[in-house]
């Protein structure tokens, strides 16, 4: 995946130009029918731009884009087309690459505030617990490289234990060259490198002079995703949650050196 130093200081047009350059490599640059207002590549670039500028409201951001660009479709039309490209976006978000070490962790993706959880009918959402307390919704489980790139991720209900989902992530372990997987004490299981507990009777592979620094890397990545509005509760379907997550992940990876 090509990487760009994307930042809001570049200006809106310049950022969108960089995103469009990447999108043209993977999406169509031709309009499929006469009434289509923009190509798939241009649409993806415009959708990604919101996460670079960390705007919390997608409809307002799209309205701002329409002020500068005449002929854009409505946000509802753009969102519907984005849903159709979801499978392609998810395939491009995390290509396999050979790596020596990865860091694994999870972060909550709430679909509503806790006080409304009993009345929320979001399909698949469950009660779970995070470092900030109870959460109703899902969790994002991810592998992050030492340089801060998101290598792969899964969205699962919040009530599933981190180790359970980590074994799902391990299904692609061979595609990444068999790296060491570094976790926290929540990943107290064979196959992971984690800080030893008081009653641990074997070497977990944890090295206090190196691994705590790597652990802070994934916390920084999650903080950047939260700043990019990945944790907004304005979502009604799992498809929209998946689309918002994959766009945030791609925008993050493209901004890494």
């Amino acid at each position: 995946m090509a990487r760009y130093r994307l930042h809001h200081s570049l200006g809106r047009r310049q950022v969108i130009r960089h995103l469009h350059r990447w999108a043209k490599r993977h999406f169509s640059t031709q309009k499929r029918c006469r009434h289509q207002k923009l190509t798939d590549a241009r649409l993806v670039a415009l959708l990604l731009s919101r996460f670079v500028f960390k705007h919390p409201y997608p409809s307002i951001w799209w309205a701002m884009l329409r002020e500068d660009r005449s002929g854009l479709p409505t946000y509802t039309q753009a969102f519907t087309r984005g849903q159709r490209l979801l499978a392609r976006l998810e395939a491009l978000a995390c290509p396999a690459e050979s790596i020596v070490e990865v860091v694994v962790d999870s972060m909550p993706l709430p679909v509503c505030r806790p006080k409304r959880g009993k009345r929320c009918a979001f399909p698949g959402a469950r009660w779970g617990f995070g470092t900030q307390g109870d959460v109703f919704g899902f969790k994002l489980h991810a592998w992050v490289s030492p340089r801060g790139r998101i290598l792969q991720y899964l969205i699962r209900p919040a009530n599933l234990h981190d180790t359970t989902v980590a074994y799902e992530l391990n299904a692609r372990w061979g595609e990444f060259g068999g790296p060491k997987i570094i976790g926290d004490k929540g990943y107290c299981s064979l196959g992971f490198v984690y800080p030893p507990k008081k009653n641990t009777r074997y070497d977990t592979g944890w090295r206090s002079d190196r691994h705590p620094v790597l652990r802070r890397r994934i916390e920084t990545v999650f903080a950047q995703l939260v700043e990019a509005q990945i944790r907004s509760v304005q979502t009604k379907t799992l498809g929209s949650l998946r689309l918002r997550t994959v766009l945030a992940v791609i925008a993050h990876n493209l901004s890494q050196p």
Side-chain angles (χ1 to χ4, degrees):
M1 178 182 289
R3 297 156 198 170
Y4 305 93
R5 279 301 214 173
L6 298 178
H7 193 266
H8 57 81
S9 61
L10 294 177
R12 191 187 306 173
R13 291 185 178 276
Q14 191 172 358
V15 167
I16 293 175
R17 191 179 301 118
H18 284 308
L19 292 172
H20 187 229
R21 190 181 307 165
W22 172 83
K24 286 192 298 185
R25 301 176 183 178
H26 307 286
F27 296 92
S28 173
T29 58
Q30 302 293 329
K31 296 181 180 179
R32 299 181 181 179
C33 53
R34 183 180 303 175
H35 67 272
Q36 195 173 38
K37 296 183 179 180
L38 73 169
T39 64
D40 290 346
R42 178 67 66 178
L43 172 69
V44 170
L46 294 177
L47 291 175
L48 286 170
S49 64
R50 179 174 76 90
F51 295 92
V52 176
F53 289 91
K54 302 177 176 59
H55 197 282
Y57 305 109
S59 58
I60 296 178
W61 176 257
W62 194 261
M64 293 168 58
L65 294 177
R66 295 186 72 186
E67 291 179 357
D68 297 338
R69 295 166 176 80
S70 60
L72 287 185
T74 64
Y75 175 70
T76 301
Q77 293 171 329
F79 175 80
T80 302
R81 285 186 58 189
Q83 291 276 34
R84 296 172 184 169
L85 300 174
L86 178 58
R88 178 63 176 163
L89 287 167
E90 290 179 333
L92 293 171
C94 303
E97 61 179 68
S98 181
I99 195 167
V100 178
E101 294 177 317
V102 298
V103 188
V104 63
D105 207 346
S106 66
M107 63 174 289
L109 293 177
V111 297
C112 70
R113 302 194 183 280
K115 64 181 180 180
R116 301 184 62 184
K118 294 182 179 180
R119 303 190 301 273
C120 183
F122 196 105
R126 295 293 184 272
W127 280 103
F129 184 80
T131 55
Q132 298 179 349
D134 293 339
V135 57
F136 183 78
F138 300 84
K139 281 186 178 181
L140 175 71
H141 303 259
W143 277 12
V144 173
S145 72
R147 299 188 64 179
R149 292 191 63 247
I150 300 174
L151 300 174
Q152 64 165 330
Y153 71 93
L154 290 174
I155 300 174
R156 292 294 182 267
N159 63 336
L160 291 182
H161 195 274
D162 288 350
T163 307
T164 302
V165 185
Y167 281 117
E168 291 189 55
L169 292 170
N170 290 355
R172 298 185 62 192
W173 182 72
E175 299 179 26
F176 291 90
K180 291 183 179 179
I181 308 173
I182 303 167
D184 56 16
K185 291 186 178 181
Y187 297 89
C188 179
S189 180
L190 291 175
F192 300 94
V193 176
Y194 62 93
K197 298 182 178 180
K198 293 183 179 180
N199 60 348
T200 303
R201 299 184 180 181
Y202 61 90
D203 184 12
T204 65
W206 183 263
R207 300 295 178 262
S208 59
D209 59 338
R210 171 173 173 76
H211 293 150
V213 177
L214 295 180
R215 286 291 313 166
R216 286 196 291 271
R217 171 63 68 180
I218 195 169
E219 300 296 340
T220 300
V221 170
F222 283 167
Q224 292 171 343
L225 292 177
V226 171
E227 188 180 4
Q229 309 301 324
I230 194 177
R231 201 180 283 177
S232 171
V233 298
Q234 292 186 347
T235 184
K236 296 182 179 180
T237 64
L238 183 58
S240 63
L241 179 63
R242 289 170 55 195
L243 180 61
R244 185 178 67 205
T245 302
V246 71
L247 290 174
V249 168
I250 291 176
H252 172 81
N253 285 345
L254 287 176
S255 65
Q256 298 303 302

